[in-house]
Coordinates of all heavy atoms in Angstrom, one line a residue:
Q48 N 118.5 95.7 100.2 CA 118.0 94.3 100.2 C 116.9 94.2 101.3 O 117.1 94.7 102.4 CB 119.1 93.3 100.5 CG 120.2 93.3 99.4 CD 119.7 92.7 98.1 OE1 119.0 91.7 98.1 NE2 120.0 93.4 97.0
A49 N 115.9 93.5 101.0 CA 114.8 93.3 101.9 C 115.2 92.1 102.8 O 115.7 91.1 102.4 CB 113.5 92.9 101.2
K50 N 115.0 92.3 104.1 CA 115.4 91.2 105.1 C 114.2 90.2 105.3 O 113.1 90.6 105.5 CB 115.7 91.8 106.5 CG 116.2 90.8 107.5 CD 116.6 91.5 108.8 CE 117.0 90.5 109.8 NZ 118.1 89.6 109.4
Y51 N 114.5 89.0 105.1 CA 113.6 87.9 105.2 C 113.4 87.5 106.6 O 114.4 87.1 107.3 CB 114.0 86.7 104.3 CG 113.1 85.5 104.3 CD1 111.7 85.7 103.9 CD2 113.5 84.2 104.5 CE1 110.9 84.6 103.8 CE2 112.7 83.2 104.4 CZ 111.3 83.4 104.0 OH 110.5 82.3 103.9
L52 N 112.2 87.5 107.1 CA 111.9 87.3 108.6 C 111.4 85.9 108.9 O 111.5 85.4 110.0 CB 111.0 88.3 109.1 CG 111.5 89.8 109.1 CD1 110.4 90.7 109.7 CD2 112.8 90.0 109.8
T53 N 110.7 85.3 107.9 CA 110.0 84.0 108.2 C 110.9 83.0 108.7 O 112.0 82.7 108.2 CB 109.3 83.5 106.9 OG1 108.3 84.4 106.5 CG2 108.7 82.1 107.1
G54 N 110.5 82.4 109.9 CA 111.3 81.3 110.5 C 112.5 81.8 111.4 O 113.1 81.0 112.1
D55 N 112.8 83.1 111.4 CA 113.9 83.6 112.1 C 113.3 84.4 113.4 O 113.0 85.6 113.3 CB 114.7 84.6 111.3 CG 116.0 85.1 112.0 OD1 116.1 85.0 113.2 OD2 116.9 85.5 111.3
N56 N 113.1 83.7 114.4 CA 112.4 84.2 115.6 C 113.1 85.4 116.2 O 112.5 86.3 116.7 CB 112.1 83.1 116.6 CG 111.2 82.0 116.1 OD1 110.2 82.3 115.4 ND2 111.5 80.8 116.4
T57 N 114.4 85.3 116.2 CA 115.2 86.4 116.8 C 115.0 87.7 116.0 O 114.8 88.8 116.5 CB 116.7 86.1 116.8 OG1 116.9 84.9 117.6 CG2 117.5 87.2 117.4
A58 N 115.0 87.6 114.7 CA 114.8 88.7 113.8 C 113.4 89.2 113.9 O 113.2 90.5 113.8 CB 115.1 88.3 112.3
I59 N 112.4 88.3 114.0 CA 111.0 88.8 114.2 C 110.9 89.6 115.5 O 110.2 90.6 115.5 CB 110.1 87.6 114.2 CG1 110.0 86.9 112.8 CG2 108.7 88.0 114.6 CD1 109.3 85.6 112.7
D60 N 111.4 89.1 116.6 CA 111.3 89.8 117.8 C 112.0 91.2 117.7 O 111.4 92.2 118.2 CB 112.0 89.1 119.0 CG 111.2 87.8 119.4 OD1 110.0 87.8 119.1 OD2 111.8 86.9 120.0
A61 N 113.1 91.3 117.1 CA 113.8 92.6 116.9 C 113.0 93.5 116.0 O 112.9 94.7 116.2 CB 115.2 92.3 116.3
F62 N 112.4 92.9 115.0 CA 111.5 93.7 114.1 C 110.3 94.3 114.8 O 110.0 95.5 114.8 CB 111.0 92.8 112.9 CG 109.8 93.4 112.2 CD1 110.0 94.3 111.2 CD2 108.5 92.9 112.4 CE1 108.9 94.8 110.5 CE2 107.5 93.4 111.7 CZ 107.7 94.4 110.7
L63 N 109.6 93.5 115.6 CA 108.5 93.9 116.4 C 108.8 95.0 117.4 O 108.0 95.9 117.6 CB 107.8 92.8 117.1 CG 107.1 91.7 116.1 CD1 106.5 90.6 116.9 CD2 106.1 92.4 115.2
D64 N 110.0 94.9 118.0 CA 110.4 95.9 119.0 C 110.7 97.3 118.4 O 110.7 98.2 119.1 CB 111.7 95.4 119.7 CG 111.5 94.2 120.6 OD1 110.3 94.0 121.0 OD2 112.4 93.5 121.0
Q65 N 110.8 97.3 117.1 CA 111.1 98.6 116.4 C 109.9 99.5 116.3 O 110.0 100.7 116.1 CB 111.7 98.4 115.0 CG 113.1 97.8 115.0 CD 113.6 97.7 113.5 OE1 113.5 98.7 112.8 NE2 114.0 96.5 113.1
F66 N 108.7 98.9 116.4 CA 107.5 99.6 116.0 C 106.4 99.6 117.1 O 106.3 98.6 117.8 CB 106.9 99.0 114.7 CG 107.9 99.0 113.6 CD1 108.5 97.8 113.2 CD2 108.4 100.2 113.0 CE1 109.4 97.8 112.1 CE2 109.3 100.2 112.0 CZ 109.9 99.0 111.6
D67 N 105.6 100.7 117.2 CA 104.5 100.7 118.1 C 103.2 100.7 117.3 O 102.1 100.3 117.8 CB 104.5 102.1 118.8 CG 105.8 102.3 119.6 OD1 106.2 101.3 120.3 OD2 106.3 103.4 119.6
V68 N 103.2 101.0 116.0 CA 102.0 101.1 115.2 C 102.2 100.3 113.9 O 103.3 100.5 113.2 CB 101.6 102.6 114.8 CG1 100.4 102.6 113.9 CG2 101.4 103.4 116.1
F69 N 101.3 99.5 113.5 CA 101.3 98.8 112.2 C 100.1 99.2 111.4 O 98.9 99.1 111.8 CB 101.3 97.3 112.4 CG 102.6 96.8 113.0 CD1 102.7 96.6 114.4 CD2 103.7 96.5 112.2 CE1 103.9 96.1 114.9 CE2 104.9 96.0 112.7 CZ 105.0 95.9 114.1
L70 N 100.4 99.8 110.2 CA 99.4 100.1 109.2 C 99.3 98.8 108.3 O 100.3 98.4 107.7 CB 99.7 101.3 108.4 CG 100.1 102.6 109.2 CD1 100.4 103.7 108.2 CD2 99.0 103.0 110.1
L71 N 98.1 98.3 108.2 CA 97.9 97.0 107.4 C 97.0 97.2 106.3 O 95.8 97.6 106.5 CB 97.4 95.9 108.3 CG 98.3 95.5 109.5 CD1 97.7 96.0 110.8 CD2 98.4 94.0 109.6
D72 N 97.4 96.8 105.1 CA 96.5 96.6 104.0 C 95.6 95.4 104.3 O 95.9 94.6 105.1 CB 97.4 96.4 102.7 CG 96.5 96.2 101.5 OD1 95.5 96.9 101.3 OD2 96.9 95.3 100.6
C73 N 94.5 95.3 103.5 CA 93.6 94.2 103.8 C 93.6 93.2 102.6 O 94.0 92.0 102.9 CB 92.2 94.8 103.9 SG 91.9 95.8 105.4
D74 N 93.3 93.6 101.4 CA 93.2 92.6 100.3 C 94.7 92.2 100.0 O 95.6 93.0 99.7 CB 92.6 93.3 99.1 CG 91.2 93.7 99.3 OD1 90.4 92.8 99.6 OD2 90.9 94.9 99.1
G75 N 94.9 90.9 100.1 CA 96.2 90.3 99.8 C 97.1 90.2 101.0 O 98.1 89.6 101.0
V76 N 96.6 90.7 102.2 CA 97.4 90.6 103.4 C 96.5 89.9 104.5 O 97.0 88.9 105.1 CB 97.7 92.0 103.9 CG1 98.5 91.9 105.3 CG2 98.6 92.7 102.9
I77 N 95.3 90.4 104.7 CA 94.4 89.9 105.7 C 93.6 88.7 105.0 O 93.4 87.7 105.6 CB 93.4 90.9 106.3 CG1 94.2 92.1 106.8 CG2 92.5 90.3 107.3 CD1 95.0 91.8 108.0
W78 N 93.1 89.0 103.8 CA 92.3 88.1 103.1 C 92.4 88.2 101.6 O 93.0 89.2 101.1 CB 90.8 88.3 103.5 CG 90.3 89.7 103.4 CD1 90.5 90.5 102.3 CD2 89.7 90.5 104.4 NE1 89.9 91.8 102.5 CE2 89.4 91.8 103.8 CE3 89.3 90.3 105.7 CZ2 88.8 92.8 104.5 CZ3 88.7 91.3 106.4 CH2 88.4 92.6 105.8
S79 N 91.9 87.3 100.9 CA 91.7 87.4 99.4 C 90.2 87.1 99.2 O 89.7 86.0 99.4 CB 92.5 86.3 98.7 OG 92.2 86.4 97.3
G80 N 89.5 88.2 98.9 CA 88.0 88.1 98.8 C 87.4 87.8 100.1 O 87.6 88.5 101.1
D81 N 86.7 86.7 100.2 CA 86.1 86.2 101.5 C 86.9 85.2 102.2 O 86.5 84.7 103.3 CB 84.7 85.7 101.3 CG 83.7 86.8 100.9 OD1 83.9 87.9 101.5 OD2 82.8 86.5 100.1
H82 N 88.1 84.9 101.7 CA 89.0 83.9 102.3 C 90.0 84.6 103.2 O 90.9 85.3 102.7 CB 89.7 83.1 101.3 CG 90.8 82.2 101.8 ND1 90.6 81.1 102.6 CD2 92.2 82.3 101.7 CE1 91.7 80.5 103.0 NE2 92.7 81.3 102.4
V83 N 89.9 84.4 104.5 CA 90.9 84.9 105.5 C 92.1 84.0 105.5 O 91.9 82.8 105.7 CB 90.3 85.1 106.9 CG1 91.3 85.6 107.9 CG2 89.1 86.1 106.8
F84 N 93.3 84.6 105.3 CA 94.5 83.7 105.4 C 94.6 83.1 106.8 O 94.4 83.7 107.8 CB 95.7 84.6 105.0 CG 95.7 85.1 103.6 CD1 95.8 86.5 103.4 CD2 95.5 84.3 102.5 CE1 95.8 87.0 102.1 CE2 95.5 84.8 101.2 CZ 95.6 86.1 101.0
P85 N 95.1 81.8 106.8 CA 95.2 81.1 108.1 C 96.1 81.9 109.1 O 97.1 82.4 108.7 CB 95.8 79.8 107.7 CG 95.4 79.6 106.3 CD 95.4 81.0 105.7
G86 N 95.7 81.9 110.3 CA 96.4 82.5 111.4 C 96.4 84.0 111.5 O 97.0 84.6 112.4
V87 N 95.6 84.7 110.6 CA 95.6 86.2 110.7 C 94.9 86.7 111.9 O 95.5 87.6 112.6 CB 94.9 86.7 109.4 CG1 94.5 88.2 109.6 CG2 95.9 86.6 108.2
P88 N 93.7 86.2 112.3 CA 93.1 86.7 113.5 C 94.0 86.6 114.8 O 94.1 87.5 115.6 CB 91.8 85.9 113.7 CG 91.5 85.4 112.3 CD 92.8 85.2 111.6
E89 N 94.7 85.4 114.9 CA 95.6 85.2 116.0 C 96.8 86.1 116.0 O 97.3 86.6 117.0 CB 96.0 83.7 116.0 CG 94.9 82.7 116.2 CD 94.2 82.3 114.9 OE1 94.4 82.9 113.9 OE2 93.3 81.5 115.0
T90 N 97.3 86.4 114.7 CA 98.4 87.3 114.6 C 98.1 88.7 115.0 O 98.9 89.4 115.7 CB 98.9 87.3 113.2 OG1 99.3 85.9 112.8 CG2 100.2 88.1 113.0
L91 N 96.9 89.2 114.6 CA 96.5 90.5 115.0 C 96.3 90.6 116.5 O 96.7 91.6 117.2 CB 95.2 90.9 114.3 CG 95.3 91.0 112.8 CD1 93.9 91.2 112.2 CD2 96.2 92.2 112.4
E92 N 95.8 89.6 117.2 CA 95.6 89.6 118.6 C 97.0 89.5 119.3 O 97.2 90.1 120.3 CB 94.8 88.4 119.1 CG 93.3 88.6 118.8 CD 92.8 89.9 119.5 OE1 92.9 90.0 120.7 OE2 92.3 90.8 118.8

C-alpha cells in the first residue's frame, strides 16, 4: 500500500529524513506545459 503523506506533518518529516537525494520528473510534477504548479519553487528551496 502507498502511504498518503498530504496533511500529515509527522509523516512528511519522517519521509524527508529517509533521503538525501530526490530525483524529480518535470512534466506533471514541476509543471504542465508552461504552467508551474503552485508552491513548487518554494518546495524545491
Side-chain angles (χ1 to χ4, degrees):
Q48 296 292 312
K50 182 175 177 58
Y51 184 53
L52 300 180
T53 296
D55 188 338
N56 295 320
T57 300
I59 290 172
D60 288 341
F62 165 77
L63 294 177
D64 286 343
Q65 291 183 52
F66 306 109
D67 302 317
V68 179
F69 289 95
L70 308 182
L71 298 106
D72 179 39
C73 294
D74 297 306
V76 177
I77 305 295
W78 52 52
S79 175
D81 287 327
H82 169 71
V83 175
F84 297 124
V87 164
E89 296 83 356
T90 303
L91 295 172
E92 284 304 299

